[in-house]
């Protein structure tokens, strides 16, 4: 009996201690809440790491939300898979208290300061989904990641058409893209568009970045170039890494957009710009592309392949090959026209000589094959004359700008 009584006293002491710790967290967080300090509240809440299991609650008020968050934080530090699954469910529940479906929650027009807390909760939902999938042993994987994307899609649909709460769309949009990009599942979020409204410059820049990223992945080079240019121009120089991240996609976009709009190739970037941002790879690649140096271009792709793969631009850079060949033959065409007064029919042998002069180790058969591809893909307007081994260029604009829709 004495042992049992001692155990009861110990349990009572531990329970009271846990309750005091939970009360202390709730009190400090509540104070930040009442002060309207959403940024500090979000940081304080996510830094909270309870050392014992907080009590359960079904309340949906401020205190209930903080207790649910505290319990979620405790469970997410556990290694048991079922506890991680419960942590994910509690995170969804905490988001649902801020933005419940079809009714007013804690996040309203009068409490916009809670947007940073919503962003942190949404990002934590992504991290928990990744953690749950990494711990699952069923061999399938990706179940909670898909669950997270589906939840964000439902939340977006609910809030987007709610005039009283759609101001929070910018938070869902930003985090939705971060989650989707992390999980390599951007198909859904690429269709999202923010409702009309007055947004902060930082929000507009963020929106333009993700739109540019979506356009970049969809081969919409001109649109990607415009969006990413806006981002680059409005990110302060002190944020060097952010600007580098934009340049990795902006430069290929501008080079590819040169087929759609005159002047884009000339405005890609100066040597000083690439030096300032420590990007010698793109500097040499851009120089090779603009000068039509096929040999230097191919050497650059070989030398920096791992870097380009790391920054997820290698596939797009490979697409520069055909524009590079097109530009090379365009310059050759104009040189021949200037020398001979007419370039309506150009021997393949002459084009091969020009290609070799540009550092391209190629024979006439390969040049003929490339010309066929360029004609097929509408990079040039011409016809092949197999009998006379020559190319008959159209007398009317043989090197047209491409329609964005065709590429």
């Amino acid at each position: 009996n004495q042992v049992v009584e001692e155990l009861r006293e110990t349990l009572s002491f531990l329970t009271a201690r846990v309750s005091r710790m939970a009360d202390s967290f709730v009190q400090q967080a509540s104070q930040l809440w009442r002060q309207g300090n959403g940024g500090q509240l979000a940081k304080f809440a996510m830094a909270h790491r309870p050392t014992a299991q907080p009590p359960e609650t079904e309340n949906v008020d401020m205190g209930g939300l903080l207790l649910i968050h505290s319990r979620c934080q405790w469970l997410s530090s556990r290694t048991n898979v079922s506890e991680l699954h419960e942590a994910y469910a509690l995170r969804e529940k905490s988001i649902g208290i801020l933005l419940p479906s079809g009714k007013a929650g804690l996040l309203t027009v009068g409490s916009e300061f809670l947007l940073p807390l919503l962003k942190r909760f949404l990002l934590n939902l992504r991290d928990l989904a990744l953690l749950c999938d990494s711990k699952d042993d069923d061999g399938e994987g990706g179940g909670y990641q898909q669950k997270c994307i589906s939840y964000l899609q439902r939340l977006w649909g609910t809030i987007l058409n709610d005039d009283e709460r759609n101001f929070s769309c910018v938070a869902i949009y930003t985090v939705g893209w971060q989650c989707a990009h992390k999980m390599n599942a951007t198909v859904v979020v690429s269709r999202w568009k923010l409702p009309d409204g007055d947004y902060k410059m930082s929000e507009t820049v963020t929106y333009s970045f993700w739109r540019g990223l979506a356009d970049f992945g969809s081969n919409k080079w001109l649109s990607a170039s415009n969006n990413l240019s806006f981002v680059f121009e409005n990110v302060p120089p002190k944020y060097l890494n952010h600007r580098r991240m934009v340049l990795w996609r902006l430069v290929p976009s501008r080079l590819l957009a040169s087929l759609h709009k005159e002047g884009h190739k000339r405005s890609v970037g100066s040597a000083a710009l690439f030096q300032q941002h420590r990007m010698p790879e793109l500097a040499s690649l851009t120089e090779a592309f603009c000068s039509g140096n096929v040999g230097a271009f191919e050497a650059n792709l070989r030398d920096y392949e791992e870097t380009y793969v790391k920054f997820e631009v290698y596939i797009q850079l490979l697409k520069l090959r055909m524009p590079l060949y097109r530009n090379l033959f365009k310059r050759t065409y104009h040189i021949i026209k200037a020398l001979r007064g007419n370039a309506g029919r150009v021997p393949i042998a002459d084009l091969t000589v020009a290609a070799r002069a540009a550092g391209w180790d190629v024979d006439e058969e390969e040049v003929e094959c490339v010309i066929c591809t360029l004609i097929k893909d509408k990079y040039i307007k011409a016809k092949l004359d197999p009998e006379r081994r020559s190319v008959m260029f159209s007398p009317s604009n043989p090197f047209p700008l491409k329609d964005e829709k065709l590429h």
Side-chain angles (χ1 to χ4, degrees), residues 109-172:
V109 175
S111 58
E112 293 184 28
F113 66 89
L114 291 177
L115 277 176
L117 186 64
L118 175 64
K119 287 183 180 180
R120 293 295 188 102
F121 280 6
L122 290 169
L123 284 173
N124 184 240
L125 185 74
R126 175 204 68 187
D127 294 340
L128 285 172
L130 292 168
L131 185 59
C132 286
D133 283 341
S134 70
K135 297 291 184 180
D136 280 342
D137 298 324
D138 55 13
E140 295 181 4
Y144 270 83
Q145 295 176 52
Q146 184 57 49
K147 188 175 182 180
C148 178
I149 292 295
S150 298
Y151 177 80
L152 291 172
Q153 174 68 0
R154 292 195 304 273
L155 185 63
W156 174 265
T158 299
I159 303 303
L160 180 64
N161 299 314
D162 188 335
D163 293 338
E164 296 296 323
R165 298 186 294 171
N166 63 13
F167 68 89
S168 61
C169 277
V170 67
I172 303 171

Side-chain angles (χ1 to χ4, degrees), residues 23 41 62 93 99 113 129 151 175 193 225 233 240 247 260 269 275 285 303 308 354 371 393:
D23 289 343
L41 172 61
M62 177 182 64
K93 186 174 181 180
L99 286 174
F113 66 89
Y151 177 80
V175 177
K193 290 188 178 180
S225 175
E233 291 165 3
L240 188 66
L247 279 176
H260 305 283
Q275 184 177 7
L285 180 128
D303 294 343
Y308 295 144
I371 291 290
F393 288 97

Side-chain angles (χ1 to χ4, degrees), residues 34-199:
R34 287 190 293 271
Q35 293 172 352
N37 195 337
Q40 286 299 318
L41 172 61
K43 291 180 181 179
F44 176 71
M46 298 312 299
H48 174 57
R49 294 289 185 271
T51 56
Q53 183 173 1
E56 297 184 17
T57 181
E58 293 300 325
N59 294 335
V60 293
D61 56 5
M62 177 182 64
L65 172 65
L66 294 173
L67 278 177
I68 291 171
H69 167 71
S70 183
R71 185 172 175 82
C72 175
Q73 291 289 87
W74 183 79
L75 288 168
S76 63
S77 66
R78 313 290 287 175
T79 57
N80 186 282
V81 174
S82 61
E83 289 177 316
L84 291 177
H85 291 177
E86 185 181 351
Y88 179 90
L90 287 176
R91 181 54 69 216
E92 278 196 1
K93 186 174 181 180
S94 64
I95 296 170
I97 294 176
L98 283 173
L99 286 174
S101 178
K103 58 182 180 180
L106 296 179
L107 181 55
T108 62
V109 175
S111 58
E112 293 184 28
F113 66 89
L114 291 177
L115 277 176
L117 186 64
L118 175 64
K119 287 183 180 180
R120 293 295 188 102
F121 280 6
L122 290 169
L123 284 173
N124 184 240
L125 185 74
R126 175 204 68 187
D127 294 340
L128 285 172
L130 292 168
L131 185 59
C132 286
D133 283 341
S134 70
K135 297 291 184 180
D136 280 342
D137 298 324
D138 55 13
E140 295 181 4
Y144 270 83
Q145 295 176 52
Q146 184 57 49
K147 188 175 182 180
C148 178
I149 292 295
S150 298
Y151 177 80
L152 291 172
Q153 174 68 0
R154 292 195 304 273
L155 185 63
W156 174 265
T158 299
I159 303 303
L160 180 64
N161 299 314
D162 188 335
D163 293 338
E164 296 296 323
R165 298 186 294 171
N166 63 13
F167 68 89
S168 61
C169 277
V170 67
I172 303 171
Y173 181 90
T174 302
V175 177
W177 258 107
Q178 291 175 319
C179 294
H181 187 63
K182 180 83 172 181
M183 299 173 181
N184 196 27
T186 59
V187 175
V188 172
V189 294
S190 63
R191 304 191 191 105
W192 293 1
K193 290 188 178 180
L194 285 176
D196 295 334
D198 295 326
Y199 297 102

